[in-house]
Amino acid sequence: MSQITVRGGKPLVGRVEVRGAKNLVTKAMVAALLGDAPSELRDVPHISDVEVVSKLLQLHGVKIEHSDDGTMSLDPTNVKSARMVDIDAHAGSSRIPILFCGPLLHQLGEAFIPDLGGCHIGDRPIDYHLEVLRNFGAVIDKQPNGIRLSAPDGLKGAKISLPYPSVGATEQVLLTSVRAEGLTELTGAAVEPEIMDLIAILQKMGAIISVDTDRVIRIEGVKTLGGYSHSALFDRNEAASWAAAALATHGDIFVGGARQQEMMTFLNVFRKVGGAFEIHDDGIRFYHPGGDLQPVVIETDVHPGFMTDWQQPLVVALTQAKGLSIVHETVYENRFGFTDALVQMGAQIQIYRECLGGNPCRFGQRNFNHSAVISGPTPLHGADIRVPDLRGGFSHMVAALAAEGISNVTNVQLISRGYEHFLAKLEALGADFTYTE
Ligand code: EPU
């Protein structure tokens, strides 16, 4: 079990680079499975979620090379069925396998998807995914350790309406419809920048997809797709995480590769809290300009709202703002578990079942602890913490780095699911820590 001993209370200062977004790259890798020619994806980070998807693709006959500079080549010309036990053994820590369904049904006529892992944020069900696949004509057979899918009559375009603009379910529709026979119309689609980048990739492969107003996406199925050559969209979740780390530690971090366009909602909030930033051609400098930080009222939402993944690191910075901040989490019903450790470190955070601060959401009146009130500023002190999930874990590390005294943080390897070269970056920013394997 990996552990970090952090001696906190020092500002993080320096430069880190972010590469392709975890939440795009892994889907782009699955998209390569739909082609009949090799693809090349650039800026692919070395993170464990990428390794898991690589292993799963390799089990299905895709040849993959991933060089140190982040270029990945994927050759799907010999796609084959994989053994259930092998898929099961490799998929454990990821939710991406559910997106293999459409491509495997097109290529092989069948798919086996094991029970899904990923971070434990609420229930994270897959009902939308299964409904989408049924709409295309897939037959789903639930088995003890996963699901088996087949498409006896082939996959056909459909009219689909999502009850909530789910990122994964929208990707499911895209990856299945592009080679389904006929037209597909999706209403209630998610329109995150990572989805737009996936659409760009699919278009490069030969797909016909139009994104209309009001969350409507139309796809005209084609019989075959080729390969693609693409530089992945940068990881705006990682960029926002370092920005919050700069604010919480009174630091100054230049995030190479970050871009303004996809981060506008975050930048507005960052400025309202009292953080400063400078936009450069090659990245964004985030820093604490001195003076008091201000409390804010925010609500997480689907794009173009404030992303749920930005919430956890920002909450750490909000413990240092002067006054009461309110965060209403409307994407996941149970994403405040990480605040227990912050309270243990001296933060004052109260969690509520009610929808606080703005509009009622679908979690109101359902007993989900999904609103937080943070009262600051509170000095943080070191503590012993176990990393619970990816974003919560990063936040705990930031809190430990901001806190006076020593913190022992265990289960740190979880952070490498989504943050490339995490420890090397901390070192480059002048963090004082020791790592034990
Ligand atoms: N939902 C259902 N049924 C479904 C699918 C989703 O009820 O079949 C619900 C979820 O439980 C959740 C909401 O819909 O309450 C939104 O979930 P969504 O499908 O949008 O999330 P996802 O595709 O599973 C991706 C990212 C998450 C990110 C969300 C929201 C990946 C691999 N994961 O998850 O990223 O928080 O979109 O933007 O792309 C992370 O990076 O740490 C992370 C959790």
Side-chain angles (χ1 to χ4, degrees), residues 235 306 323 436:
D235 198 315
F306 189 90
T436 22

Side-chain angles (χ1 to χ4, degrees), residues 359-376:
N359 307 315
C361 77
R362 65 205 167 109
F363 303 139
Q365 314 297 327
R366 290 176 59 202
N367 285 322
F368 291 124
N369 285 318
H370 72 293
S371 293
V373 175
I374 303 121
S375 171

Side-chain angles (χ1 to χ4, degrees), residues 22-23 26-27 95-96 119 121 123-129 164-169 171 192 237 307-309 331-333 335 362-363 390-391:
K22 161 179 93 68
N23 293 348
T26 42
K27 307 1 169 2
R95 273 177 72 78
I96 307 296
C119 284
I121 318 169
D123 274 349
R124 299 195 78 183
I126 54 166
D127 50 339
Y128 303 164
H129 292 260
Y164 182 79
S166 148
V167 168
E171 292 160 344
E192 268 64 6
N237 291 343
M307 281 202 82
T308 170
D309 302 300
V331 179
Y332 290 113
E333 71 276 23
R335 217 178 190 185
R362 65 205 167 109
F363 303 139
L390 178 62
R391 307 289 167 200

Side-chain angles (χ1 to χ4, degrees), residues 104-137:
L104 286 180
L105 284 172
H106 284 302
Q107 293 286 37
L108 303 168
E110 60 162 12
F112 171 74
I113 309 300
D115 286 334
L116 297 179
C119 284
H120 297 289
I121 318 169
D123 274 349
R124 299 195 78 183
I126 54 166
D127 50 339
Y128 303 164
H129 292 260
L130 299 184
E131 192 51 32
V132 159
L133 289 160
R134 283 195 190 97
N135 272 297
F136 284 108

